[in-house]
């Protein structure tokens, strides 16, 4: 069986760009209120999350064209689940920052719309998974070893680290700037997961 190409080296330029952005924001955070409500960091976080959702949509459209293939169907169902992460994240950041400039009723409307969309996507994913994926256990194991899954796992770990900065846990100092920057890195990993959606496992089974 042909070995899958390892993807870690392709992350290097992406990580360098995000590292430079994070370093610049940390440096500017000494003189600018970056972590303020509706501030630059929250706006950038929402932009990254919406970009990730857009990339996921592109991958979903490509996979939907090959839905009759079991592997493509499994990847499509999984991508429909993964796209919920940036959507939920965007709703969360909108709630905290009121970044859309809408009145409270408008923000609530956006939250409800994103929640309904998330439920619809999860329902579609379940339908495709049940009807189009014959060997679901093998497909599940393959998807859990996929490049996207590895980045999503890393994003969850990084987001947990941001919560430590928020609460002052794990011996870390409480810092709003560090919390928001680390969250931005987590959202960047979700964007990277979207860019790799539909690719096979890092190693062939």
């Amino acid at each position: 069986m042909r070995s899958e190409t390892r993807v870690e080296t392709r992350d290097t330029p992406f990580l360098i760009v995000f590292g430079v952005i994070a370093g610049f924001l940390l440096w500017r955070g000494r003189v600018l209120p970056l972590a303020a409500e509706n501030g630059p960091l929250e706006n950038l976080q929402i932009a990254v999350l919406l970009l990730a959702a857009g990339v996921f949509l592109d991958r979903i459209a490509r996979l939907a064209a090959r839905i009759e293939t079991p592997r493509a169907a499994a990847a499509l169902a999984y991508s429909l689940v993964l796209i919920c992460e940036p959507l939920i994240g965007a709703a969360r950041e909108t709630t905290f920052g009121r970044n859309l400039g809408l009145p409270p009723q408008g923000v609530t409307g956006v939250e409800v719309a994103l929640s309904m969309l998330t439920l619809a996507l999860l329902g579609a994913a379940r339908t495709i998974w049940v009807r189009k994926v014959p060997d679901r256990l093998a497909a599940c194991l393959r998807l859990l070893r996929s490049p996207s899954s590895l980045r999503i796992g890393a994003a969850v770990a990084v987001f947990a680290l941001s919560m430590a900065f928020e609460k002052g846990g794990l011996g870390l100092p409480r810092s709003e700037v560090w919390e928001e920057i680390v969250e931005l890195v987590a959202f960047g990993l979700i964007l990277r997961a979207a860019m790799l959606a539909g690719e096979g496992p890092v190693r062939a089974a």
Side-chain angles (χ1 to χ4, degrees), residues 94-174:
T94 300
T95 300
F96 288 168
R98 302 294 190 259
N99 299 63
L100 299 179
L102 298 174
Q105 298 87 344
V107 174
T108 301
V110 171
E111 295 170 7
V112 171
L114 286 175
S115 298
M116 296 301 293
L117 177 59
T118 299
L119 290 175
L121 290 169
L122 292 175
R126 182 185 182 280
T127 299
I128 294 170
W129 185 259
V130 170
R131 295 184 179 181
K132 297 290 185 179
V133 183
D135 191 350
R136 290 187 281 275
L137 177 58
C140 182
L141 294 175
R142 184 174 64 251
L143 290 169
L144 289 176
R145 293 187 294 114
S146 69
S148 285
S149 289
L150 298 179
R151 275 67 185 177
I152 291 295
V156 171
V158 172
F159 192 79
L161 180 62
S162 76
M163 295 177 66
F165 278 111
E166 179 185 10
K167 305 294 184 181
L170 301 178
L172 297 172
R174 295 187 64 175

Side-chain angles (χ1 to χ4, degrees), residues 33-64:
L34 296 178
E37 290 294 312
N38 200 30
L41 272 173
E42 286 194 348
N43 286 325
L44 184 56
Q45 288 171 354
I46 290 179
V48 170
L49 288 167
L50 292 179
L51 179 59
V55 174
F56 267 123
L57 282 175
D58 175 71
R59 299 300 185 268
I60 287 169
R62 294 171 185 266
L63 291 167

